[in-house]
Amino acid sequence: MTKGTPQTMKAWVQTDDYGLENLKLETAHPVPTIDDSQDQVLIKVQASSINPVDYKLMKGNMSLFMKRSFPHVVGFDVCGIIVAKSKASKGDFKVGDVVYGDTGDRGSCAEYMVCPSDFVVKKPQNISAEEAASVPLVGLTAYQGLKFKGNIKKGDKVLVLGGSGGVGSMAIQMAKIMGAKHVTTTSSNVELVDSLGADQVINYKEGKWEVILNGAEYDIVFDCVGGGWERSHQVLKKGGVFVTISSEEENGPDVLSIGRVFSMVGNTIGRKAMAAIGMGPNYEFFLTNAGAPKDMTEISEWIEARKLRVIMDPTSPYKYEDTKDAFKLLMSHRAKGKLAISW
Ligand SMILES: NC(=O)c1ccc[n+]([C@@H]2O[C@H](COP(=O)([O-])OP(=O)(O)OC[C@H]3O[C@@H](n4cnc5c(N)ncnc54)[C@H](OP(=O)(O)O)[C@@H]3O)[C@@H](O)[C@H]2O)c1
């Protein structure tokens, strides 16, 4: 136990086998302790936010790769105060610093959590803890997708599929910050994506984007919905890149079965081979790299310079005891911004 911290805490815990019904609020869960031989910090959580990966993991849809042992405290995104550091901690932090980050699946939906110190950076001062907790996972995904997978350059034309979602709303703004000259997005929430600086919005309920944009010569298509690969050929310029974080089908199945993984790997190899011989666009599927303090620091600078906004759903933040209501809204795919939890 760390001096000054209680022995038990409130935490949203997956208690047993996979399934949302096994997500329970425990009121006397043990507070985690730091391991002095590892580079770790103990955080008193002020706010967390939830992401689709949280419910996909809770349902066991990714258990092929990310096996959980139970009980398991859920949650990736955090903002909170450092209350202790391990002896091996390398981070440039002191006790009392307020930090935020995507901590991986390390249990941010709780009063306290432990994570490696390079998974958090100091919180920007001009946003609330709830706004800060809403940034890391979606912010890193948009940043890494555009910068490292899309190799975005000044003057590029970018199409963001699913611009009103957590990742999409960051990607529209970041594409502009990184120098894109034109950003188009697809969304049914036209007013919101307009306000983020999109140059052109296509309401996918009123027309097919690949038809409306046929021949438009985009440098990058960033797919945050799924199902855009074949269609992107009609809009990408020669040498353009299709970047995706999502399933093959639009809003496709969440379950990562062996069959689906084989088909994704096969498709990736085939598509990259075709691109290498000039027979198709480049294809990039990637998973977010959470321990990326350099990326988080640049994101923080944009927030502090008021170039990057955090979009919160009007119902957000939720009280910690109402976390399941936040999950229900997230799973309905009708949230209009990020869903944060106050602790
Ligand atoms: N590979 C990775 O490492 C990684 C990282 C982060 C996220 N992801 C995955 O990426 C996906 C998006 O994440 P997120 O956090 O942005 O989710 P989100 O906040 O729930 O956003 C989903 C958005 O998709 C849009 N949408 C739904 N159906 C659509 C359609 N038919 N056409 C166009 N847009 C549609 C919705 O926008 P409208 O309101 O306009 O309908 C919604 O805002 C999730 O599946 C998530 O698991 C993967």
Side-chain angles (χ1 to χ4, degrees):
M1 199 184 92
T2 306
K3 210 172 137 209
T5 55
Q7 277 180 301
T8 61
M9 64 177 185
K10 298 182 192 79
W12 280 97
V13 179
Q14 193 172 349
T15 51
D16 201 351
D17 214 353
Y18 292 106
L20 264 183
E21 63 282 7
N22 291 321
L23 180 65
K24 308 246 163 73
L25 179 61
E26 284 192 355
T27 52
H29 194 79
V31 169
T33 48
I34 45 178
D35 173 351
D36 272 325
S37 68
Q38 304 291 315
D39 174 12
Q40 290 183 338
V41 287
L42 174 65
I43 297 171
K44 181 167 186 349
V45 177
Q46 296 177 310
S48 37
S49 86
I50 58 172
N51 293 282
V53 67
D54 288 306
Y55 67 73
K56 291 179 186 177
L57 284 167
M58 267 188 257
K59 291 198 287 185
N61 294 359
M62 296 158 95
S63 58
L64 197 59
F65 299 97
M66 293 174 82
K67 203 125 197 89
R68 280 179 166 172
S69 56
F70 304 111
H72 179 91
V73 183
V74 303
F76 285 58
D77 276 336
V78 74
C79 176
I81 303 167
I82 293 197
V83 290
K85 292 164 52 168
S86 65
K87 290 200 174 101
S89 176
K90 295 194 208 94
D92 181 23
F93 299 121
K94 46 186 191 324
V95 168
D97 281 345
V98 183
V99 295
Y100 76 132
D102 169 359
T103 61
D105 189 26
R106 288 187 167 83
S108 62
C109 290
E111 287 179 290
Y112 291 88
M113 74 172 302
V114 165
C115 74
S117 58
D118 58 350
F119 280 59
V120 289
V121 297
K122 285 189 191 148
K123 167 191 161 293
Q125 297 207 345
N126 58 334
I127 56 172
S128 67
E130 286 76 10
E131 288 172 310
S134 300
V135 170
L137 193 151
V138 293
L140 284 172
T141 308
Y143 181 95
Q144 292 165 0
L146 289 167
K147 188 163 178 172
F148 305 126
K149 301 296 167 184
N151 290 318
I152 190 168
K153 307 177 299 306
K154 213 165 178 289
D156 272 358
K157 268 181 88 170
V158 180
L159 168 61
V160 177
L161 303 177
S164 73
V167 180
S169 60
M170 285 281 162
I172 293 171
Q173 300 180 78
M174 288 186 185
K176 282 285 186 178
I177 295 169
M178 291 175 180
K181 79 162 184 277
H182 181 96
V183 179
T184 304
T185 191
T186 62
S187 178
S188 61
N189 197 343
V190 176
E191 212 177 307
L192 170 67
V193 290
D194 252 345
S195 79
L196 296 173
D199 298 290
Q200 183 182 10
V201 183
I202 292 167
N203 185 342
Y204 59 85
K205 292 188 172 160
E206 291 170 1
K208 292 188 170 174
W209 54 266
E210 71 276 23
V211 175
I212 296 165
L213 303 172
N214 195 355
E217 302 263 294
Y218 284 87
D219 298 278
I220 302 169
V221 173
F222 191 170
D223 187 355
C224 308
V225 180
W229 165 249
E230 302 288 349
R231 300 153 74 187
S232 73
H233 296 200
Q234 294 179 54
V235 308
L236 273 168
K237 74 173 199 195
K238 198 168 163 29
V241 55
F242 176 82
V243 179
T244 184
I245 53 168
S246 227
S247 53
E248 289 292 297
E249 305 95 87
E250 196 167 293
N251 301 316
D254 289 338
V255 183
L256 267 187
S257 61
I258 290 196
R260 214 172 128 226
V261 171
F262 270 120
S263 121
M264 282 167 81
V265 171
N267 282 340
T268 303
I269 293 169
R271 288 166 189 175
K272 281 185 175 291
M274 293 297 274
I277 56 169
M279 297 285 288
N282 295 309
Y283 176 85
E284 294 284 354
F285 169 79
F286 78 105
L287 296 175
T288 312
N289 174 17
K294 258 176 83 178
D295 302 355
M296 278 299 293
T297 300
E298 187 158 24
I299 292 171
S300 298
E301 285 165 8
W302 291 339
I303 293 171
E304 273 164 351
R306 299 185 196 284
K307 292 180 183 168
L308 186 66
R309 280 200 293 139
V310 189
I311 307 302
M312 308 283 280
D313 184 86
T315 61
S316 192
Y318 286 71
K319 293 189 206 138
Y320 72 85
E321 58 266 44
D322 297 330
T323 298
K324 271 201 171 180
D325 292 338
F327 270 112
K328 279 183 202 148
L329 181 57
L330 184 69
M331 291 169 76
S332 74
H333 304 292
R334 293 279 51 95
K336 293 193 174 350
K338 289 288 298 176
L339 300 169
I341 318 290
S342 298
W343 284 90

